[in-house]
């Protein structure tokens, strides 16, 4: 069964600090990997999408990496802001249509002033 | 509107009651998805529409769940004889293209259903 595991489950850091969220997946076949940000009470919003051939992609202060050999991805947040407080969900697309997305449970990030 | 709109935002139902959840996708978006998100979990796929055609309903947990998109725009997810385990946030997402590798989904804020 395709699975996406994220760590840590939750994280608290001080405003201005950096942090890295981890995603390990056992999804086959692999098409692409996506990171979403989900604010409390809102739907997920796409941050990055990476294919097999891409090993890093940035979106402002967010940088995602992908190692397709080890089936690991990370999301690095630089100079965190209070508005970064949210759940970050790793999603892997295996192809095959609408049900080809496997969602992780997310990392709940809290930025403290 | 500019984004995906879902209504109601919150719904409290008594066990056994029928509920209907509405999704207004972004205008012109071909694909529409429904997901169920339990507390502290990632979204779980329920069903997918390409225009008015329901191409995949493999994620619907039981025959009490029914979804439709009769004119290829607004969609309704109906749950009959609700049970406590149906309590969750129901997310709707739409995308411009058919489901596929480059498909970027835009999510609504969800409907939080609580069954008492």
């Amino acid at each position: 069964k395709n699975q996406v595991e994220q760590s840590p489950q939750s994280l608290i850091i001080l405003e201005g600090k950096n942090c890295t969220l981890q995603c390990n997946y056992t999804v086959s076949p692999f098409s692409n990997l996506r990171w979403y940000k989900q604010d409390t009470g809102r739907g997920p919003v796409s941050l990055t999408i990476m294919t097999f051939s891409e090993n890093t992609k940035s979106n402002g202060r967010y940088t995602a990496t992908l190692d397709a050999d080890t089936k690991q991805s990370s999301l690095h947040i630089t100079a965190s802001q209070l508005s970064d407080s949210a759940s970050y969900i790793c999603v892997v697309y295996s192809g095959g249509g609408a049900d080809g997305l496997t969602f992780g449970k997310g990392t709940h990030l809290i930025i403290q002033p | 509107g500019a984004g995906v709109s879902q209504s109601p935002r919150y719904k409290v139902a008594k066990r056994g009651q029928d509920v209907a959840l509405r999704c207004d996708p972004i205008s012109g978006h071909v694909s529409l998805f429904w997901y169920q998100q339990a507390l502290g979990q990632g979204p779980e796929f329920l069903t997918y529409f390409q225009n008015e055609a329901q191409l995949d309903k493999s994620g619907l947990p039981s025959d009490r769940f029914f979804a439709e998109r009769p004119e290829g725009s607004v969609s309704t997810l109906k749950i009959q004889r609700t049970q406590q385990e149906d309590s969750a946030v129901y997310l709707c997402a739409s995308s411009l293209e058919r489901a596929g590798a480059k498909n970027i989904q835009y999510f609504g804020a969800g409907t939080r259903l609580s069954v008492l």
Side-chain angles (χ1 to χ4, degrees):
Chain A
K1 180 181 178 181
N2 289 336
Q3 286 189 321
V4 174
E5 301 288 341
Q6 292 188 242
S7 62
Q9 186 174 5
S10 60
L11 180 63
I12 302 174
I13 64 171
L14 293 176
E15 185 180 10
K17 298 296 186 182
N18 303 336
C19 66
T20 300
L21 314 180
Q22 300 291 343
C23 173
N24 297 339
Y25 61 92
T26 52
V27 175
S28 182
F30 175 87
S31 180
N32 59 55
L33 184 144
R34 312 161 184 214
W35 281 94
Y36 284 84
K37 178 186 180 188
Q38 185 173 21
D39 292 312
T40 300
R42 312 291 293 178
V45 174
S46 179
L47 294 175
T48 64
I49 177 169
M50 289 186 293
T51 60
F52 185 88
S53 60
E54 297 173 297
N55 55 23
T56 186
K57 183 166 280 190
S58 292
N59 179 357
R61 294 179 296 101
Y62 300 103
T63 299
T65 65
L66 173 64
D67 186 333
D69 291 333
T70 62
K71 298 187 176 181
Q72 296 180 328
S73 176
S74 65
L75 182 68
H76 186 74
I77 304 174
T78 304
S80 61
Q81 300 176 0
L82 297 179
S83 59
D84 293 331
S85 294
S87 286
Y88 291 83
I89 303 174
C90 176
V91 186
V92 179
Y93 181 66
S94 60
D99 65 345
L101 291 172
T102 303
F103 289 77
K105 294 182 180 180
T107 291
H108 186 52
L109 176 64
I110 297 173
I111 310 298
Q112 287 188 335
Chain B
V4 178
S5 178
Q6 292 188 245
S7 61
R9 287 295 315 275
Y10 304 92
K11 176 68 179 179
V12 179
K14 292 183 178 179
R15 189 163 56 92
Q17 185 179 352
D18 297 349
V19 298
L21 313 180
R22 177 187 170 104
C23 173
D24 283 83
I26 295 173
S27 179
H29 276 199
V30 168
S31 296
L32 187 145
F33 307 78
W34 282 100
Y35 293 89
Q36 181 189 61
Q37 187 174 25
L39 187 64
Q41 304 292 314
E44 295 277 349
F45 170 79
L46 292 177
T47 187
Y48 163 68
F49 290 86
Q50 183 178 310
N51 296 308
E52 70 278 3
Q54 188 175 20
L55 297 187
D56 191 333
K57 54 181 181 179
S58 61
L60 296 176
S62 78
D63 59 7
R64 296 185 296 104
F65 286 71
F66 172 77
E68 60 183 5
R69 193 186 186 198
E71 298 179 359
S73 56
V74 172
S75 177
T76 303
L77 176 66
K78 298 179 180 178
I79 309 174
Q80 297 176 324
R81 305 181 303 281
T82 53
Q83 300 178 5
Q84 285 188 325
E85 59 263 32
D86 299 334
S87 296
V89 174
Y90 290 85
L91 292 168
C92 175
S94 72
S95 64
L96 185 60
E97 300 174 348
R98 297 177 303 171
K102 298 183 179 180
N103 178 277
I104 301 299
Q105 296 174 315
Y106 297 86
F107 284 84
T111 294
R112 181 177 295 278
L113 173 64
S114 298
V115 181
L116 306 179

